[in-house]
Amino acid sequence: SPLIASFIMLRVLSLCVLGLAASASGFGGANVARSRVSRSSLARMSDAYGASHTSFYTSEEKKDSYETLDQILTQSMSNVELRTLIKEQMEACVKITDALRTALVTVEGTANSFGDVQLTVDVIADKLMWDACFQSDLVKEASSEEEPEVKPVKPDTGKYIICWDPLDGSSIVDNNWAVGTMIGIWPESTGLLGATGRDQVTSIVALYGPRTTVLVALDDGTYEFTLGEGNQWICSRSKIQIDKDAKIFAPANMRSAQDLDGYKGLIDYWMENRYTLRYSGGLVPDVYQQFTKRQGIFANPTSGNAPAKLRLAFEAAPFALLVEKAGGKTSDGVTGGSVLDVKITGIDQRTALCIGSANEVDRFNSMVLKK
């Protein structure tokens, strides 16, 4: 009968899947190549059950050896002083990593100048960043998102202005989700106020998750470094390139879709075309994935009822430099031009932002901004 035939077919499929799983796990001496074939076969078999294949796994191959931070900086950062400054800032990220591993997420009992309640980990991370700046001979002035004013550090001898968000993701860190640090570095010739993001000499973004990884803008592109054994940095990705097309989307500030028909239509487009949603509510992990997956789009438009929250100097500019150096594109969410060309006129200046794969940024400009 049809019922019996269906039962037999399901039984055969189950046995096939079990056999393939055994092969994939290495039983019977299966080698790596055979495991890969088995996984792909499993994927095809799951089609019978309507399973969705919308995940994007890493394509990075294991290497026999990895270049160190010093080796990469020698090859790809011609400015010797910037090599030193980058290492100093990355050392602060090591210390923040250690603090996050041990500090409890509790309310500090204080608020920053924006009225945001400060967490203990915010205060610790910010102090570590200030310590790194005051211990450096190269920092002329500095500004933190927690204290948004440009403060003198080494006004007579320093050569660079540093601007940072010490720990982005305060609303999700208590969940033990990934959070990060964003750092922009400007030369004394431009300063910060009156400059643009394009004037940055480098930028750094650290992601604190199961591992600590850092993106750095160097002379010839964007590089990723992973914190390894003994707190030593190794280069895990070189000259990263973000594809022009994407199938991963991270839609921020979705409240504005109630006011912006174009944004609502764009979200509908992504869903109707079966893009994969990858959004945590943390700017660092939500944009950082574009470098590991080599594709993606993050959109944060604004409206009257859902105003801009992202800060140009502390958040948008540092990430935009990294993305554009990797072949991606950005939009200021107003004119459709690069957010790197927006002049910084205030420390607390906010901005809309779309950032990621070039063709998707163009789609945002077309559908949301009508540009």
Side-chain angles (χ1 to χ4, degrees):
S1 69
L3 181 62
I4 295 175
S6 297
F7 175 79
I8 294 173
M9 179 61 71
L10 285 173
R11 180 63 176 164
V12 170
L13 286 171
S14 298
L15 291 172
C16 289
V17 169
L18 286 171
L20 287 166
S23 298
S25 64
F27 292 118
N31 57 26
V32 173
R34 184 177 169 187
S35 295
R36 287 175 180 162
V37 172
S38 298
R39 284 194 293 271
S40 64
S41 297
L42 272 170
R44 288 194 298 271
M45 293 297 294
S46 65
D47 284 338
Y49 301 97
S52 174
H53 305 309
T54 58
S55 298
F56 295 88
Y57 298 100
T58 185
S59 59
E60 295 295 317
E61 298 286 344
K62 183 178 179 180
K63 300 178 182 178
D64 293 331
S65 63
Y66 293 84
E67 292 182 286
T68 65
L69 174 62
D70 284 331
Q71 289 173 324
I72 294 295
L73 289 178
T74 299
Q75 299 167 15
S76 300
M77 175 52 74
S78 57
N79 187 314
V80 177
E81 290 179 335
L82 278 179
R83 294 179 199 168
T84 299
L85 188 54
I86 288 170
K87 290 168 66 175
E88 290 172 350
Q89 294 299 301
M90 290 177 65
E91 180 58 29
C93 295
V94 174
K95 294 178 180 178
I96 293 173
T97 297
D98 291 339
L100 288 171
R101 295 287 182 265
T102 56
L104 294 177
V105 179
T106 57
V107 175
E108 182 69 12
T110 58
N112 61 22
S113 62
F114 304 117
D116 301 327
V117 173
Q118 289 183 301
L119 302 178
T120 302
V121 287
D122 290 325
V123 175
I124 293 172
D126 197 41
K127 182 181 184 302
L128 290 169
M129 290 298 299
W130 278 112
D131 288 347
C133 289
F134 279 108
Q135 291 166 10
S136 174
D137 294 326
L138 296 168
V139 181
K140 182 181 182 70
E141 297 171 337
S143 181
S144 165
E145 187 187 39
E146 300 296 319
E147 301 178 61
E149 57 180 294
V150 179
K151 294 184 177 182
V153 178
K154 299 282 176 61
D156 298 325
T157 58
K159 296 182 179 181
Y160 300 97
I161 293 84
I162 297 188
C163 186
W164 67 82
D165 182 345
L167 197 66
D168 180 77
S170 296
S171 65
I172 60 174
V173 68
D174 57 342
N175 296 335
N176 205 22
W177 292 3
V179 293
T181 299
M182 289 171 280
I183 305 167
I185 302 177
W186 281 261
E188 63 175 338
S189 60
T190 67
L192 182 60
L193 293 177
T196 68
R198 206 170 294 283
D199 292 321
Q200 292 173 102
V201 291
T202 186
S203 66
I204 302 168
V205 170
L207 178 65
Y208 311 112
R211 296 166 293 116
T212 293
T213 55
V214 171
L215 296 168
V216 186
L218 300 180
D219 294 343
D220 56 353
T222 299
Y223 288 72
E224 182 194 65
F225 297 90
T226 294
L227 189 61
E229 293 184 8
N231 284 343
Q232 298 299 307
W233 295 103
I234 59 173
C235 181
S236 42
R237 288 181 172 87
S238 302
K239 301 178 185 177
I240 302 168
Q241 285 295 301
I242 297 172
D243 293 341
K244 290 184 178 181
D245 296 309
K247 293 292 285 185
I248 297 174
F249 73 112
N253 199 16
M254 290 182 66
R255 295 180 185 89
S256 66
Q258 299 301 308
D259 306 318
L260 304 173
D261 290 339
Y263 191 33
K264 184 178 184 300
L266 181 58
I267 294 171
D268 287 343
Y269 172 88
W270 287 330
M271 295 174 67
E272 289 166 1
N273 286 274
R274 306 185 68 79
Y275 282 48
T276 295
L277 173 67
R278 289 290 181 267
Y279 180 70
S280 71
L283 179 64
V284 173
D286 290 339
V287 178
Y288 198 111
Q289 64 182 332
Q290 297 173 9
F291 299 89
T292 54
K293 306 304 185 185
R294 301 182 189 274
Q295 55 145 313
I297 187 68
F298 172 90
N300 192 327
T302 63
S303 68
N305 294 319
K309 292 185 177 181
L310 297 182
R311 294 167 174 93
L312 177 60
F314 298 109
E315 299 168 315
F319 244 137
L321 183 67
L322 291 161
V323 167
E324 292 199 10
K325 268 189 169 289
K329 193 171 183 177
T330 67
S331 169
D332 62 9
V334 178
T335 69
S338 170
V339 76
L340 288 178
D341 294 324
V342 178
K343 183 175 290 188
I344 301 169
T345 58
I347 298 298
D348 186 37
Q349 184 174 348
R350 310 298 177 101
T351 184
L353 177 67
C354 184
I355 186 169
S357 294
N359 289 342
E360 289 301 325
V361 174
D362 289 342
R363 194 187 315 280
F364 171 90
N365 286 341
S366 175
M367 295 185 68
V368 180
L369 305 182
K370 311 304 180 185
K371 302 292 184 182

